[in-house]
Amino acid sequence: MNIPAIEPLTLAHVVPLVRLCNQTFVEHARFPEHGLQAVRLVREQPEWQWGAFADNRLAGALLCQCRPEKKTVAIRLIGTDPALRGVGIGRRLLDHLETEARRKGMEALSVGTPFAARFYEKCGFRPTRTTLRMIKDLAQKTVLLPDTISVAPFTLDEAPEILACLPEPESQARFLEAFLANLRLHGSYALRIARNGALAGAVLGAADTVCPDFVRVGLVLPLGANLEDLIRTAEYAVSRQGLRYIGFPAEPEQEDIFAKLGYERAARDFFWTMYTLRKQIS
């Protein structure tokens, strides 16, 4: 193989890029977003999109979005042909980006990635934020309701009871947005959790469209019950339906609670923890 040449991407390269992404990012093979993103970025910021070409074939691609007001270039996608993995194409694309960004007066590169944080750290990036997603496989596990806790679905007419327990407008808005968005979803879970009959919390989630055996929890509202009781109650509701996986968003300080209950950082093709990294170049 000849040394790949780094050249600008054009709209003519979008279809080969989608093929490359479908083979490289198996978790996204069922989605058109990569191609749509490429079309938008090539049209809006063509000077920040590059391909690595070997033997007249697209061997790698790098899509970026420049933010001049922040003097930062955000990496939106970097991928290489699986048959050419390990020969340094991704590193060459990053080196090219860094050279161009520095030449054009940018001060930093940023990226969000679920699976490639180590690659970026080897390239000089430093972690700045972790957006935790915790997941548990319920297969062959006994799941029981905590003592004194009961759970039942709630409907649109019953939502005001929960809304009335949320005194702050921000928490009310988050609940309404999550609940109303959830109403449209097949396999939605809107759970009213009670302790000795009195409202103690709510959990909102839905079966995932990519993995129907997985319930993605979007919002947890402790209204008297502790987080551990709400997690166990949601597990009970999901396992009662015969589904296998359940996942939660989590704050960093909550990771130990989830780990104690058998959860791990999500790194599945349908649910993942996102790592944000940054590299200063000036």
Side-chain angles (χ1 to χ4, degrees), residues 129-136 227-228 231 235 248-267 272-275:
R129 186 176 73 253
T130 299
T131 305
L132 276 180
R133 298 289 182 268
M134 305 298 292
I135 192 169
K136 183 175 181 178
L227 177 61
E228 185 172 331
I231 293 169
E235 289 177 6
F248 289 81
E251 298 300 324
E253 62 271 16
Q254 297 172 333
E255 185 169 9
D256 287 346
I257 297 174
F258 280 96
K260 185 178 71 173
L261 296 175
Y263 286 77
E264 60 185 7
R265 289 194 181 194
W272 52 72
T273 288
M274 180 65 74
Y275 303 94

Side-chain angles (χ1 to χ4, degrees), residues 37-248:
Q37 178 178 235
V39 170
R40 177 177 60 82
L41 291 174
V42 166
R43 292 181 66 186
E44 294 176 359
Q45 296 187 349
E47 70 276 19
W48 292 103
Q49 324 306 324
W50 293 283
F53 295 86
D55 302 325
N56 297 316
R57 183 165 64 94
L58 184 66
L62 174 62
L63 301 179
C64 300
Q65 183 176 17
C66 182
R67 296 171 172 171
E69 74 283 1
K70 297 183 178 180
K71 292 190 176 298
T72 298
V73 182
I75 298 167
R76 294 304 183 199
L77 178 148
I78 184 168
T80 60
D81 189 315
L84 302 175
R85 191 167 292 157
V87 301
I89 293 174
R91 185 63 181 260
R92 287 201 66 214
L93 285 165
L94 277 185
D95 288 345
H96 183 83
L97 166 62
E98 185 172 335
T99 298
E100 288 296 304
R102 189 178 288 111
R103 184 177 68 83
K104 294 176 182 178
M106 298 296 107
E107 297 179 353
L109 310 177
S110 67
V111 67
T113 178
F115 306 124
R118 290 184 180 178
F119 165 73
Y120 286 104
E121 288 184 275
K122 288 179 181 178
C123 295
F125 286 71
R126 295 293 176 263
T128 59
R129 186 176 73 253
T130 299
T131 305
L132 276 180
R133 298 289 182 268
M134 305 298 292
I135 192 169
K136 183 175 181 178
D137 186 344
L138 299 174
Q140 299 187 34
K141 294 182 175 66
T142 299
V143 181
L144 301 173
L145 271 180
D147 292 342
T148 74
I149 293 287
S150 61
V151 59
F154 68 87
T155 66
L156 186 65
D157 290 337
E158 296 164 319
E161 177 195 19
I162 295 171
L163 188 65
C165 296
L166 302 172
E168 303 203 0
E170 182 60 29
S171 59
Q172 292 176 350
R174 285 192 297 113
F175 166 70
L176 287 172
E177 288 172 349
F179 176 63
L180 294 174
N182 223 44
L183 282 177
R184 303 182 307 172
L185 301 177
H186 175 71
S188 63
Y189 285 75
L191 305 176
R192 179 190 186 277
I193 297 165
R195 171 171 279 133
N196 296 322
L199 179 64
V203 174
L204 301 175
D208 191 69
T209 55
V210 173
C211 179
D213 209 24
F214 165 63
V215 170
R216 179 191 302 263
V217 174
L219 187 65
V220 178
L221 292 174
L223 301 172
N226 60 40
L227 177 61
E228 185 172 331
D229 281 347
L230 296 181
I231 293 169
R232 290 189 180 279
T233 303
E235 289 177 6
Y236 175 80
V238 169
S239 66
R240 189 170 58 181
Q241 299 297 316
L243 302 184
R244 179 165 184 173
Y245 302 101
I246 184 168
F248 289 81

Side-chain angles (χ1 to χ4, degrees), residues 16-27:
L17 182 143
V18 171
R19 176 200 59 79
L20 183 149
C21 290
N22 283 352
Q23 295 176 9
T24 302
F25 307 117
V26 177
E27 69 275 7

